[in-house]
Structure formats: C-alpha cells, structure tokens
Amino acid sequence: MSKRSKPSSKSITTFAFVAVILLLIVIVTDIQGGKKAYGKSSSAMGASVFLTLCGGDEKVADAMIEAVKHLDSDCLSPTIQGSDVFNLNANSGQPLKVNAETADVLKKAVEISKKSDFTLNIALGQLIRLWGIDGDNPRVPSAEEIEAALNTADMSRIFIDGNTASIGAGQLIDLGAVGKGAACDIAAETAKRLGVKAASISVGGSVTFVGQKSVSGLKSLFGGSELLWSVGIRDPFGSVNDTFASVKVGPVSISTSGNYEKYFEENGVRYHHIFDPKTGYPSDSGLVSVTVFSDSGLLSDALSTVAFVLGYEKSLPILKEYSAEAVFVFPDKTVRVTDGIKESITITDSEFTLI
Ligand code: ADP
Ligand code: MG
C-alpha cells in the first residue's frame, strides 16, 4: 500500500476497498475532520458499485446508489423492460420521450462518437447481440451476419431533440461503453449536492474521486501538493486484485478497457467484447488494456473504449483533444503513458516496464 503522509496530520484513516476491475487503495488524510470514512457496496449495470464517503453518511450513500440504479433501470439498461434504451430499441424508428439523464448521455456519446470518427459507435447493438459475448452462447458469426449487423450501425439515424430521441428502424443502441462512467458522474453529482467533502465511487471498471477544492485545495488532476488518493491499476494478466502500477491522483475519473474483461475462446483465439466498428470483429490494436484519466466519468469510459480500439498511436490525438491522460499496456508487459501522467505513475510490479 502506498501512502502519502502530511506531517501536520495526526490521524490518518485508511479505508481500502477492492473494486471489481481496479484495486483502489484510498488514503484519506486530514480533510475528514476526524470523521471515519463511510463505505457501502451495491450492484447496478451488471457490475459492483463501491462507495467511500468522507463527510457523508448512509443517507447520502443511499441517495448515490439510488441515482445509479435510476440511470440503469430507468434510462440506460438494454435489458431491463421499460428503460429508455429498452423502449427505444423496442420501438426503433419512432420518436420517444426519454429521461433527461438519458438524453444527456446520448448527446455526449454522440459527440464523442463523431469526434472519434465513430470508433465509439452506440448503434452497434445488433453486432453486440450477434456475437453474444455477454451471454451464455457466444459464437463467431459468419461474415454475412457481421456485414448485415454493421449495416444497421449508421449513427446518423440517431436523433436527440431536447428529451425526445429516436433511432433508425431495425437499429439497436448499446450504451455499455459509457454507462458505468456516466453512473460514476451521477453518483458524484449527488455526493457533491449533498455536501460530501470527498468520496470515491467505483462502478465496474470506472472510478471517480470527488474532492471539493474549497476543502482540499486541489488544483489539478495530477499536480499540486494536495493529492488525496493513490490508485492501483489492475494487472491485465493477473487476477482481480493484482495491480502493476500506482498513480497519485486528485479528483479525477478513471476507466479501464481490456481484453480480459469479457471474452470467449475458440480454436485458441480470444474474442473479447470491444468491437472495431470498421471490421465488426473484436478490436485488434495490439493493446491488452488501457486506462484513461479524465475530468468526467462518461468521458473516461468512452475514451477507454475508443483508445482500446484505436491502439496507442492513433488514440493520442483524441485523448489530447479531451485533455485526457492514459496508461497503455502491451502484450509483452511494456507500458506507455501520456505525458501528463509521467510524474504521477509508479510501476509497482517489476515484470512491467515503462517505456
Ligand atoms: P466495460 O463495459 O467492460 O467496462 P467498455 O467500457 O470498454 O468495457 O465497454 C465495452 C462495452 O461497450 C461492450 O460490452 C459493448 O456493450 C459496447 N461496445 C463494444 N464495442 C463498442 C464500440 N466500438 N463502440 C461503442 N460501444 C461498444
Ligand atoms: Mg468504456
């Protein structure tokens, strides 16, 4: 466990919890004003949710979890009957009123899709269903099936006007690439609104740290002398609790995409759950995982998917455009990082090499 200590801080409370994708070691220093951190776990979006709050209590944690569950079951879930995405998919071709949160996520996802030249493509629902990697019977589809599914993935057929949305007839949308990050955002907003001084929120492979500047004096995501957290980045070759690096961060959002999360193997080939919309096959950009740091949960989640599909070189411009930073892991256990994170990362597993 890494620790950043302040000489003036007498009581340092350590609250550690394990996220499903990232192991987080949360060191909470004097900003708590002597109060113990409050932790709560739950599940939503097919993932575990972990909260740690400073200056909040069970009521706040419950409100945060309720907000995440609302975003899942009323808004973004493709499988829960009655959610906006479920309804849009079941009524493709027709305009429907959606929750404000759904419209907001759709608008942001469409913007990032355009900026990424549709590497992020939220209209891949038919392709995702075809491969079935999330389900019990995943399979490699035929080239014809893949082509037919890709023919439904034209994002110019998605419209959002205020709180009314529509998708093209026969199209299926899937917000799996941004949902967990958006869930971190909604939980973080709830925490701030209810006066929490600092918090960590994790939903699957996405994590958001909240710290109010007025309390902590935080200046930037990585720099400054008031850094609060040390985050372990999961070893993509190891098990859930193994990490290969630690990064000192301020109030930032972090998402990891990797080929180890959901996959099946056939004839020695691993087919994972992140697709290249240009080919209709799982992306093959030479990465094992990529972890993206940004000031928004949705953005870090979207960009981790985009960077995983594009690979190291090609994802640098879009990461720069959104002022995001990233840690890329390659099959030979070499690691590359963007410039803004170089000072903040420490490789903790000697089998990995930062190049
Ligand atoms: P996870 O959901 O495991 O955290 P990601 O954030 O990378 O991982 O999102 C992967 C999910 O996004 C897939 O399970 C699928 O639902 C969807 N998806 C896969 N490829 C794409 C893509 N190119 N664009 C948009 N969504 C995608
Ligand atoms: Mg993502």
Side-chain angles (χ1 to χ4, degrees):
M1 186 182 294
S2 62
K3 186 155 91 175
R4 176 192 158 270
S5 58
K6 278 182 111 183
S8 60
S9 170
K10 280 195 191 124
S11 78
I12 296 177
T13 305
T14 305
F15 187 102
F17 67 88
V18 181
V20 174
I21 308 297
L22 289 171
L23 171 70
L24 305 179
I25 301 160
V26 181
I27 312 291
V28 182
T29 57
D30 55 343
I31 60 162
Q32 291 175 55
K35 277 190 206 154
K36 281 209 163 171
Y38 177 80
K40 184 151 192 155
S41 62
S42 182
S43 61
M45 306 210 159
S48 301
V49 178
F50 296 96
L51 307 177
T52 316
L53 308 181
C54 310
D57 57 13
E58 189 170 2
K59 266 193 197 152
V60 178
D62 286 345
M64 291 164 73
I65 285 170
E66 205 176 296
V68 171
K69 290 198 182 235
H70 163 68
L71 191 71
D72 185 21
S73 41
D74 299 329
C75 302
L76 307 185
S77 171
T79 52
I80 298 175
Q81 276 209 357
S83 81
D84 290 329
V85 167
F86 185 94
N87 288 341
L88 285 166
N89 285 342
N91 300 282
S92 63
Q94 293 171 41
L96 294 181
K97 273 252 175 283
V98 295
N99 285 285
E101 295 87 347
T102 309
D104 184 50
V105 170
L106 280 172
K107 281 175 200 159
K108 287 175 178 158
V110 167
E111 188 208 295
I112 303 163
S113 293
K114 283 183 185 156
K115 289 231 162 107
S116 70
D117 193 22
F118 300 102
T119 303
L120 182 80
N121 184 328
I122 61 164
L124 286 182
Q126 294 282 14
L127 185 83
I128 290 163
R129 187 182 277 187
L130 182 64
W131 281 86
I133 290 176
D134 246 352
D136 295 334
N137 298 304
R139 68 181 179 97
V140 182
S142 69
E144 292 75 27
E145 288 175 306
I146 289 175
E147 197 187 334
L150 280 183
N151 282 340
T152 70
D154 175 3
M155 278 194 54
S156 67
R157 297 168 72 209
I158 297 175
F159 296 98
I160 309 129
D161 181 12
N163 287 354
T164 301
S166 67
I167 65 172
Q171 217 167 32
L172 292 179
I173 54 167
D174 183 299
L175 292 167
V178 298
K180 296 184 189 101
C184 288
D185 286 339
I186 209 168
E189 281 155 25
T190 308
K192 283 183 203 160
R193 183 164 44 77
L194 297 176
V196 167
K197 291 176 183 166
S200 69
I201 300 151
S202 79
V203 183
S206 292
V207 186
T208 288
F209 292 104
V210 177
Q212 290 185 5
K213 284 188 184 170
S214 56
V215 175
S216 64
L218 290 163
K219 296 254 163 28
S220 74
L221 301 182
F222 299 101
S225 59
E226 298 289 333
L227 296 171
L228 296 178
W229 295 282
S230 178
V231 183
I233 303 183
R234 177 167 165 186
D235 172 357
F237 305 97
S239 58
V240 151
N241 296 348
D242 295 332
T243 61
F244 72 90
S246 72
V247 185
K248 289 179 179 167
V249 295
V252 68
S253 290
I254 310 166
S255 286
T256 300
S257 289
N259 70 3
Y260 56 86
E261 287 169 17
K262 292 176 200 156
Y263 64 87
F264 70 101
E265 282 177 339
E266 203 174 278
N267 301 326
V269 180
R270 178 181 290 196
Y271 297 96
H272 61 76
H273 71 310
I274 303 175
F275 296 99
D276 183 342
K278 291 204 162 66
T279 64
Y281 281 82
S283 67
D284 185 19
S285 65
L287 293 176
V288 181
S289 77
V290 56
T291 299
V292 173
F293 299 70
S294 148
D295 58 7
S296 133
L298 185 144
L299 204 47
S300 67
D301 199 356
L303 291 177
S304 73
T305 307
V306 168
F308 191 75
V309 175
L310 291 178
Y312 172 66
E313 295 277 352
K314 287 188 183 157
S315 60
L316 295 178
I318 189 162
L319 290 168
K320 198 167 185 189
E321 186 169 355
Y322 281 107
S323 304
E325 306 292 340
V327 176
F328 302 85
V329 183
F330 297 87
D332 62 356
K333 296 200 174 178
T334 54
V335 180
R336 286 180 185 271
V337 299
T338 51
D339 287 344
I341 207 169
K342 280 192 176 135
E343 304 286 297
S344 313
I345 189 167
T346 308
I347 301 292
T348 51
D349 180 335
S350 58
E351 286 185 13
F352 288 78
T353 316
L354 186 59
I355 54 171

